[in-house]
């Protein structure tokens, strides 16, 4: 008589059993990450509203600002023209200028959160270990969606409460504040579901994140084109739906139904797609590689270039596009700075034209993109270390200095190329919009003045990786702080001592100011010192594989 094994019965509770445990585990892992996201996405809009109140205290100031937004480039960067036609009070200004921009940040938060708790877990092998216990098939995806969705709802509630507390006049109504928070949460829910779908398509976390970011960019681009041209395109974007709820203006609540319906459809699609693939596999299989590796991969720089090329190409394309957008409105700079007296007094320098002043500010913004590219490339060695790919590489005779040096060279060289692409974009578009061909070489060369500050930012990431590898993500604070200072420093009258904490603040404001080599050489020297310090720390510590 032969005994036969009884067939495995599904765990009690169905495909979602264990979801609550995974939610608690995810919240435990994100106990620092999510609060930082929520703080940034709550306080930055609140500071922006406060700056609107101080910069545009009178209706005439706000009407002048509205006129500057009527150009195609202005509408593409902010929102639909209807906000400008209904009386541009502080409420309309808040909704018009903030929803579209911060929708990008909310989308990034949700996509990164979902991919971190789904595809990254499978890629690292932890998902297989977790699923060996009593766990439903859909528990992992459901927990990731719940955590990211809850973060979106909490963000919406925080914004609604804060804006309601700041309101009471100039169109800042309580109902508008509640709707503003609701549409922000709705955008987060849609992109949470988008990430749930993209996590099923590719076998790698970078691919899943990249697809999610591409959807966010496409949503913003549809909204931009629709606000300038055919409005139907805006109705194809969840960001466009949010803007057409018109918080503080018409207070339409029904567009939220579109967000909820799309979220439900995408979530259902994500769960269905998850049943169509195996664990650790994506619906789109990776293409087979060549039979023989390219000889350049045997060199640290060649290997680092191969690993970082996707990231750098994405940042380069983004910098070029952003530069073109900013350059296309250079021809409006004179009008903008003339009509906004307070800003003109603040920014205009002796002997500088409005175009030069606007170009110098725009170059500082573009430098933040390059600084982010440097940090994104230099935090990658941490993943190579923790996921066990660095250990066999270093066991082959490759020194830690050569390995880290290759990563550093590619990061700083690639970030410099991102700067160059950004300068080329704003220079070419600026020359086309103003008819001044000299702007192309002038702004392209001026963008390189920010290279030492970008190198300094990247070197800080390497120093953290060398001595405090678990804190390497803190390197993102430097480009984030530089962005806050660039956008809000003048408006909120930030003290000089706080502005000086941003490396970009030490770069001469070319083309307005003459090129001063002293601060650039100091930043380059500090970058070299931090790089040496980081490699010293890497040589002295053990590899951290956890």
């Amino acid at each position: 008589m032969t005994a036969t094994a009884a067939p495995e019965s599904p765990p009690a509770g169905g495909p979602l059993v264990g979801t609550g445990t995974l939610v608690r585990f995810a919240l435990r892992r994100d106990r620092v990450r999510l609060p930082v996201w929520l703080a940034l996405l709550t306080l930055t809009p609140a500071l922006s509203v406060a700056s609107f109140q101080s910069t545009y205290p009178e209706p005439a100031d706000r009407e002048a600002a509205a006129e500057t937004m009527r150009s195609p480039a202005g509408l593409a960067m902010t929102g639909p023209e209807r906000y400008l036609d209904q009386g541009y009070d502080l409420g309309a200004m808040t909704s018009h200028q903030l929803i579209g921009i911060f929708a990008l940040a909310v989308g990034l938060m949700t996509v990164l959160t979902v991919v971190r708790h789904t595809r990254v877990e499978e890629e690292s092998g932890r998902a297989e270990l977790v699923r060996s216990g009593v766990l439903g098939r859909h528990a992992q995806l459901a927990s990731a969606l719940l955590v990211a969705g809850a973060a979106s709802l909490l963000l919406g509630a925080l914004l609604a409460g804060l804006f309601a507390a700041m309101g009471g006049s100039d169109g800042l109504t309580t109902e508008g504040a509640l709707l503003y928070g609701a549409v922000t949460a709705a955008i987060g829910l849609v992109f949470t579901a988008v990430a749930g779908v993209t996590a099923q398509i590719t076998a790698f976390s970078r691919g899943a994140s990249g697809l999610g970011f591409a959807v966010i960019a496409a949503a913003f681009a549809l909204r931009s084109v629709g606000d300038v041209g055919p409005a139907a395109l805006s109705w194809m974007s969840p960001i466009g739906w949010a803007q057409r709820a018109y918080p503080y203006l018409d207070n339409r609540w029904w567009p939220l139904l579109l967000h909820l319906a799309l979220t439900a459809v995408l979530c259902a699609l994500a769960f269905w797609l998850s049943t169509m693939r195996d664990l650790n596999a994506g619906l789109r299989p990776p293409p087979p590689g060549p039979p023989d590796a390219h000889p350049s991969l045997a060199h640290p720089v060649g290997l680092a270039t191969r690993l970082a090329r996707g990231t750098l190409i994405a940042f380069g394309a983004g910098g070029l596009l952003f530069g073109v957008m900013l350059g296309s409105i250079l021809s409006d700079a004179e009008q903008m700075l003339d009509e906004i007296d307070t800003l003109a007094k603040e920014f205009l320098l002796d002997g500088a034209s409005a175009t030069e002043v606007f170009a110098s500010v725009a170059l500082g913004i573009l430098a933040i993109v390059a600084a982010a590219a440097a940090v994104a490339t230099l935090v990658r060695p941490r993943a190579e270390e923790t996921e066990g790919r660095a250990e066999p590489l270093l066991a082959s005779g490759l020194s830690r200095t050569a390995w880290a040096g290759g990563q550093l060279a590619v990061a700083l060289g690639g970030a410099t190329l991102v700067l160059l692409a950004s300068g080329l974009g704003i220079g070419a578009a600026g020359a086309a919009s103003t008819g001044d061909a000299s702007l192309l070489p002038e702004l392209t060369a001026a963008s390189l003045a920010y290279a030492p500050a970008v190198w300094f930012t990247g070197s800080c990431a390497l120093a953290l990786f060398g001595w405090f590898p678990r804190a390497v993500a803190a390197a993102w604070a430097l480009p984030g702080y530089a962005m806050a200072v660039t956008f809000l420093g003048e408006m909120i009258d930030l003290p000089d001592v706080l502005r000086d904490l941003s490396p970009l603040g030490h770069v001469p404001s070319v083309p307005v100011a003459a090129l001063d080599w002293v601060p650039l050489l100091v930043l380059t020297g500090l970058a070299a010192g931090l790089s040496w310090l980081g490699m010293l720390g890497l040589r002295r510590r053990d590899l951290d594989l956890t």
Side-chain angles (χ1 to χ4, degrees):
M1 182 176 179
T2 302
T4 57
E8 280 190 29
S9 58
L16 296 178
V17 65
T19 301
T21 302
L22 289 180
V23 167
R24 291 194 296 274
F25 181 54
L27 292 175
R28 164 74 177 168
R29 293 182 62 201
D30 285 350
R31 63 189 182 281
V32 175
R33 187 183 298 256
L34 279 180
V36 169
W37 269 110
L38 293 175
L40 286 175
L41 293 178
T42 305
L43 295 179
T44 307
L47 288 174
S48 300
V49 174
S51 71
F52 292 159
Q53 291 173 326
S54 60
T55 307
Y56 309 102
E58 301 298 331
D61 298 327
R62 295 191 288 274
E63 288 303 320
E67 289 305 313
T68 66
M69 298 292 174
R70 290 189 186 277
S71 67
L75 295 175
M77 293 183 67
T78 53
E81 195 171 8
R82 180 180 175 83
Y83 284 101
L84 309 177
D85 298 331
Q86 302 294 317
Y88 206 54
D89 54 27
L90 285 177
M93 178 178 282
T94 298
S95 185
H96 183 226
Q97 298 193 23
L98 299 187
I99 287 180
I101 293 296
F102 283 97
L104 300 176
V106 175
L108 291 179
M109 177 188 74
T110 54
V111 168
L112 291 174
T113 300
V114 173
V115 172
R116 169 178 162 82
H117 293 296
T118 53
R119 181 51 66 184
V120 170
E121 291 298 286
E122 293 187 38
E123 195 173 334
S124 66
R126 288 190 291 268
E128 187 173 8
L129 181 64
V130 171
R131 288 195 182 191
S132 65
V134 179
L135 196 71
R137 181 182 181 88
H138 296 312
Q140 199 156 26
L141 175 59
S143 64
L145 296 176
L146 285 173
V147 169
S152 301
L153 294 174
L154 180 58
L155 173 63
L158 290 172
L159 283 173
L162 198 56
F163 280 14
M166 297 174 68
S169 62
D170 296 322
L172 294 172
T173 61
T174 300
E175 184 180 2
L178 294 176
L179 182 55
Y180 187 99
V183 298
T184 301
I187 291 171
L189 291 176
V190 169
F191 289 126
T192 293
V194 166
V197 173
T198 62
Q200 315 306 319
I201 295 175
T202 74
F204 303 103
S205 57
R206 283 183 297 164
S209 300
L211 282 174
F213 297 161
V215 173
I216 296 171
F220 190 84
L222 283 171
R223 187 245 95 210
S224 296
V225 177
D227 289 344
V228 177
L233 293 176
S234 290
W235 285 105
M236 298 172 65
S237 164
I239 300 177
W241 302 343
Q243 290 186 316
R244 277 159 177 72
Y246 297 116
Y248 293 116
L249 194 65
D250 294 340
N251 290 329
R252 296 177 179 171
W253 288 85
W254 62 263
L256 295 178
L257 297 176
L258 299 175
H259 292 97
L260 295 178
L262 181 59
T263 300
V265 170
L266 289 175
C267 284
L269 179 62
F271 283 114
W272 178 70
L273 292 178
S274 70
T275 65
M276 307 293 287
R277 65 177 183 88
D278 294 328
L279 187 68
N280 299 331
L283 293 172
R284 187 174 68 88
D292 299 311
H294 194 276
S296 65
L297 296 179
H299 193 277
V301 174
L303 178 60
T305 302
R306 175 67 181 83
L307 294 175
R309 68 180 183 183
T311 300
L312 292 175
I313 288 173
F315 273 99
L320 178 64
L321 180 62
F322 200 14
V324 169
M325 291 175 62
L326 292 174
S328 64
I329 58 175
L330 272 182
S331 59
D332 298 329
E334 193 79 42
Q335 180 188 2
M336 283 191 286
L337 294 183
D338 279 349
E339 291 182 352
I340 305 174
D341 292 339
T342 52
L343 286 181
K345 292 175 183 175
E346 191 73 36
F347 285 124
L348 281 178
L349 304 177
D350 292 340
S353 69
T355 302
E356 289 175 327
V357 172
F358 188 89
S360 67
V361 175
L363 286 173
I365 296 172
L366 294 171
I368 297 171
V369 178
V375 173
T377 308
L378 279 168
V379 299
R380 180 171 180 79
R382 172 63 179 163
E384 296 294 303
E385 180 182 5
T386 57
E387 293 172 9
R389 292 189 289 269
E391 188 177 21
L393 200 63
L394 296 173
S396 66
L398 177 67
S399 71
R400 296 188 182 193
T401 303
W403 177 60
Q407 305 279 350
L408 179 69
V410 170
L412 301 193
T416 306
L417 291 177
V418 172
L419 261 182
L420 200 59
S422 305
L424 186 63
I426 188 173
S433 66
T434 62
D436 183 0
S438 66
L439 286 177
L440 175 57
E442 182 182 5
L443 297 185
T444 303
S447 67
L448 294 179
Y450 287 88
V454 171
W455 299 340
F456 175 84
T457 305
S459 299
C460 287
L462 183 63
L464 282 172
F465 173 63
W467 289 97
F468 309 103
R470 297 193 177 194
V472 70
W476 284 107
L478 205 49
Y481 184 76
M483 182 171 67
V485 171
T486 301
F487 280 100
L488 302 175
E490 296 288 347
M491 292 183 178
I492 63 177
D493 196 20
L494 196 69
D496 289 341
V497 65
L498 295 179
R499 297 187 196 200
D500 290 343
L501 295 178
S502 168
L504 300 183
H506 300 281
V507 178
S509 300
V510 288
V512 171
L515 189 62
D516 184 357
W517 287 96
V518 173
L520 302 185
L521 291 175
V522 170
L523 283 170
T524 303
L526 290 174
L530 285 169
S531 299
W532 173 81
L533 196 64
M535 292 188 188
L536 181 66
L538 182 61
R539 286 206 306 269
R540 292 192 173 190
R541 70 173 173 85
D542 293 332
L543 289 182
D544 182 5
L545 303 178
T546 59

